[in-house]
Amino acid sequence: MIFVQAQVSNAVSRGLLSYFLTSFLEEKLSRQLSRTSNVVTRRLDRLSVERAFNCCTLNDYRLLLNGLSFEDGKAAWIYGSAGLQAAPGAALYYSKNDLLDWSRQVIVEDDGFLIVDRAGDQAIALKAEKLPGDEQTGFYIYLRPVYSMPLLVIISRIKFWSEVVLMLVLAVLMLLCLRWIFRPVRAIQRDLSAIELNELDSAFLDTRSQPSEFLPLVQEFNHMVERLRLSSSRQKQFASTISHEFRTPLTVISGFIQSVLNRDAMLSSVSVESLEVANRESLRINRMLSDLLDLIRADSNQLQILRQPFDSLASVHEVLKLAGKAHPARKITLESELLAPLLVIGDPDRLIQCLSNLIDNAVKYSDSDSEVVMRIHATAETVIFSVVDHGQGIPDDQQQLIFDRFKRAQGVKLRRGESSSGLGLSIVKMFVTGMGGEVSVQSTVGEGSCFSVVLNRSDASG
Ligand code: ADP
């Protein structure tokens, strides 16, 4: 493209220059030559017949040029059998050698017209005319420097701007061509960016609408999607089977530990403590497995979240009961003046799971002697459940990231013996949005965090 561009602009500038040099300059020079050569011819007419025929001597030449004067480097001279005779002024601008040299060159030209290149962008145009008489006479030669002509400046400007305009036009054409060529690539890119990892079933690209050049690429992509889909469904199947298989023995283990703890009063305090730890851990693993199962179900659109009216206060009391069992050493309190049933829209089990996750986090990321508070606040339209801790707090730039799967806040540390999967808050967000609500966090590093779940009231007054 650049090569074509250069060729076109070169051709245009060459065309302009050759028009200027050949047609225009020669015509202009001939006109000026005929004006001055008329003077010379008139003087030649005044010579005697005999001398005119035997022309010419040095004196004749001087006579012929007498009174002719030129400016701005223009010059005239006669070159012939009597040698070189320049009009006054020519010697000021040009050396005798130059004049002789140019004379020899121009008189052999068919049309007596010659352009001589000088250093830089200077040039000299010469026009020669044979003086009347036989071979013994000579040539009358007229010269004008081309560089002094304003037209040359105009032409070089035209040349420059024509090149600029051409380059712009070609650049625009090139861009349009590129846009047109890459249209299918952009369409494929749009399709690719719309693909969701959990919707691989609809990730295949339509091969019918693709240009033949891209067909192998699109087909290869579709094969890759097929392989990914297979591998992802096998992974999900595997994770789901494992989770199911683990949950049953874990529930049994936890049940036995609980019954031993309830019945045997002979247990030493160390044994009780160990059994309680074992029970807590098996409950925790159980919860992680059920989180995992929920995520797998959500990915395959099999997760059911209810949106029906239920008493949220009953769920909150259930959450506090479970939290008391899971964290017997921690002070977890409820701050709420609301006593009557508080009907919200959603899924009671999912709300219990969400608030339990938030309380688990509050306990996990704060000191063992600090209090965790559950607050309930009702507005005309919504009920807000807040879990407040006075723990480490979360840096501002991490507060939105932590709701994504497997994301942990940088700068937040785990206590010894605690573990973290990075799944809890993503499950909370999935459940709360599934119930038509919202979850958010307000946190200050070093002071603590407040996670709030907002659900719509089913008895909204507005
Ligand atoms: P997990 O706690 O298993 O890592 P979560 O999804 O529940 O996973 O939480 C994600 C991250 O958010 C945590 O790793 C932690 O960095 C941060 N986080 C969550 N809750 C709190 C909290 N109450 N205080 C400080 N950091 C928190």
Side-chain angles (χ1 to χ4, degrees):
M1 191 61 89
I2 291 168
F3 176 74
V4 173
Q5 189 172 332
Q7 292 298 315
V8 173
S9 63
N10 250 344
V12 170
S13 50
R14 259 205 316 271
L16 280 171
L17 207 61
S18 87
Y19 166 76
F20 170 71
L21 291 181
T22 53
S23 324
F24 176 84
L25 204 57
E26 185 172 1
E27 193 192 316
K28 195 168 173 67
L29 228 58
S30 302
R31 242 184 290 133
Q32 285 175 347
L33 178 70
S34 69
R35 219 179 299 140
T36 46
S37 72
N38 279 346
V39 178
V40 175
T41 314
R42 265 200 308 279
R43 289 189 188 146
L44 201 64
D45 288 346
R46 267 188 254 126
L47 294 176
S48 68
V49 177
E50 189 189 342
R51 281 181 66 189
F53 270 110
N54 295 323
C55 205
C56 286
T57 64
L58 210 58
N59 268 345
D60 295 333
Y61 283 170
R62 280 201 189 118
L63 213 63
L64 292 174
L65 292 169
N66 196 21
L68 285 179
S69 66
F70 301 91
E71 291 165 358
D72 302 335
K74 294 173 193 167
W77 66 91
I78 291 174
Y79 173 73
S81 54
L84 174 81
Q85 184 59 47
L92 269 180
Y93 293 104
Y94 312 104
S95 70
K96 193 180 168 198
N97 281 346
D98 275 347
L99 296 179
L100 279 171
D101 188 32
W102 295 334
S103 306
R104 281 187 210 109
Q105 287 183 53
V106 71
I107 62 172
V108 295
E109 293 292 327
D110 281 347
D111 51 1
F113 175 71
L114 180 71
I115 298 278
V116 184
D117 264 335
R118 303 199 91 195
D121 55 356
Q122 291 186 4
I124 281 178
L126 300 155
K127 180 83 185 164
E129 199 174 90
K130 176 90 172 64
L131 288 171
D134 61 16
E135 285 302 312
Q136 296 302 306
T137 59
F139 290 86
Y140 174 71
I141 299 168
Y142 176 76
L143 167 157
R144 74 176 293 165
V146 178
Y147 65 83
S148 64
M149 296 183 75
L151 198 64
L152 190 69
V153 178
I154 293 170
I155 283 191
S156 65
R157 279 199 195 140
I158 290 174
K159 182 178 169 234
F160 172 77
W161 284 111
S162 71
E163 278 179 13
V164 170
V165 170
L166 264 169
M167 261 153 88
L168 285 178
V169 169
L170 287 172
V172 170
L173 279 177
M174 206 161 85
L175 277 181
L176 289 177
C177 278
L178 285 176
R179 274 186 75 82
W180 186 76
I181 290 169
F182 286 108
R183 221 166 24 130
V185 179
R186 279 202 305 281
I188 292 177
Q189 191 191 0
R190 263 199 310 277
D191 289 348
L192 292 186
S193 54
I195 291 174
E196 298 285 343
L197 265 183
N198 54 353
E199 285 171 9
L200 284 177
D201 285 343
S202 54
F204 295 99
L205 296 180
D206 185 3
T207 45
R208 285 166 307 175
S209 57
Q210 308 298 341
S212 54
E213 296 83 7
F214 290 101
L215 216 52
L217 186 76
V218 172
Q219 281 168 342
E220 206 40 60
F221 174 80
N222 283 348
H223 289 150
M224 190 192 71
V225 171
E226 180 60 35
R227 290 197 294 275
L228 271 178
R229 211 172 58 94
L230 258 174
S231 131
S232 146
S233 87
R234 278 187 199 137
Q235 270 179 23
K236 281 179 192 158
Q237 188 60 44
F238 175 72
S240 156
T241 313
I242 292 286
S243 307
H244 275 300
E245 294 299 317
F246 278 18
R247 275 181 80 185
T248 321
L250 271 171
T251 316
V252 174
I253 293 169
S254 169
F256 276 121
I257 295 173
Q258 200 62 56
S259 67
V260 173
L261 276 172
N262 289 344
R263 278 191 222 141
D264 205 331
M266 303 295 288
L267 287 174
S268 67
S269 63
V270 176
S271 307
V272 170
E273 206 177 305
S274 310
L275 284 171
E276 276 174 354
V277 172
N279 191 31
R280 259 204 316 279
E281 287 305 300
S282 65
L283 285 175
R284 198 170 59 82
I285 297 175
N286 219 333
R287 183 138 63 234
M288 271 172 64
L289 289 174
S290 74
D291 281 355
L292 205 60
L293 273 173
D294 284 335
L295 283 178
I296 294 167
R297 284 195 202 110
D299 284 352
S300 41
N301 295 324
Q302 285 169 354
L303 187 75
Q304 282 212 331
I305 300 171
L306 300 176
R307 282 199 190 191
Q308 64 185 27
F310 70 95
D311 177 15
S312 60
L313 278 186
S315 301
V316 168
H317 288 299
E318 177 66 21
V319 168
L320 291 171
K321 211 165 87 187
L322 291 171
K325 277 192 196 162
H327 313 287
R330 289 302 284 268
K331 193 173 174 208
I332 302 168
T333 49
L334 172 68
E335 271 182 17
S336 165
E337 296 105 41
L338 303 156
L339 296 169
L342 199 51
L343 294 178
V344 293
I345 301 206
D347 188 321
D349 292 338
R350 304 300 184 195
L351 180 61
I352 291 174
Q353 220 171 323
C354 291
L355 297 179
S356 298
N357 271 348
L358 295 180
I359 290 181
D360 286 350
N361 279 351
V363 169
K364 194 159 56 170
Y365 298 108
S366 61
D367 289 341
S368 52
D369 56 350
S370 79
E371 187 183 359
V372 173
V373 179
M374 163 77 108
R375 276 189 203 134
I376 307 174
H377 176 71
T379 68
E381 305 277 330
T382 59
V383 179
I384 305 159
F385 309 88
S386 305
V387 176
V388 183
D389 67 57
H390 303 286
Q392 302 179 41
I394 305 161
D396 285 353
D397 59 337
Q398 304 286 304
Q399 290 179 12
Q400 285 315 306
L401 301 177
I402 54 177
F403 290 97
D404 293 342
R405 280 183 201 181
F406 304 112
K407 287 277 163 62
R408 299 180 180 97
Q410 282 173 9
V412 176
K413 294 188 184 71
L414 275 174
R415 278 202 308 270
R416 269 187 66 163
E418 295 282 9
S419 61
S420 125
S421 66
L423 285 178
L425 289 179
S426 63
I427 301 264
V428 172
K429 188 171 181 182
M430 186 171 73
F431 286 168
V432 174
T433 27
M435 290 189 275
E438 279 173 15
V439 58
S440 60
V441 61
Q442 282 178 314
S443 187
T444 311
V445 174
E447 288 183 17
S449 311
C450 171
F451 283 86
S452 301
V453 169
V454 184
L455 291 184
N456 293 315
R457 289 180 73 154
S458 73
D459 54 353
S461 50

